[in-house]
Amino acid sequence: MIIFNTTFHVHLSVKDEFIAWVRKEYFPAALKNEAITEPTFAKLLIEVQEDAVSYAVQLKATSLEAAVAWHDNEGEQLRSGLIKRFGERVVFFTTYMETVNL
């Protein structure tokens, strides 16, 4: 199973609007793809910037190819809309991880 995590650093002035965007737009769009499952949303407990809060948005995918395809296509369109809406008040980066059975 592949986990892809996008960490968002969000200015406090748009925090509530950003959370609503994840809930109403980002997760529903991701779940339309059968290869994407188990969305999670978490607040980072470290302060990166005094006037911002950070969130980790995670999705699971059946394969790295499925994760990259969604991220680079549908996800890119969503994030482009996010940039137009919030500008530099929201910045982000994505990391791909593979679960390891111990």
Side-chain angles (χ1 to χ4, degrees), residues 20-80:
W21 174 82
V22 171
R23 184 179 14 9
K24 294 177 183 175
E25 295 182 42
Y26 197 76
F27 281 165
L31 294 174
K32 287 181 183 178
N33 184 318
E34 292 179 6
I36 307 298
T37 61
E38 300 182 49
T40 60
F41 185 80
K43 180 181 174 184
L44 276 65
L45 298 178
I46 60 168
E47 185 178 285
V48 176
Q49 191 174 326
E50 189 175 305
D51 57 351
V53 63
S54 299
Y55 297 102
V57 175
Q58 293 187 344
L59 299 166
K60 290 188 178 179
T62 55
S63 68
L64 179 58
E65 295 76 19
V68 170
W70 187 85
H71 179 270
D72 291 354
N73 294 299
E74 292 94 336
E76 175 61 28
Q77 291 176 353
L78 288 163
R79 291 185 308 279
S80 291

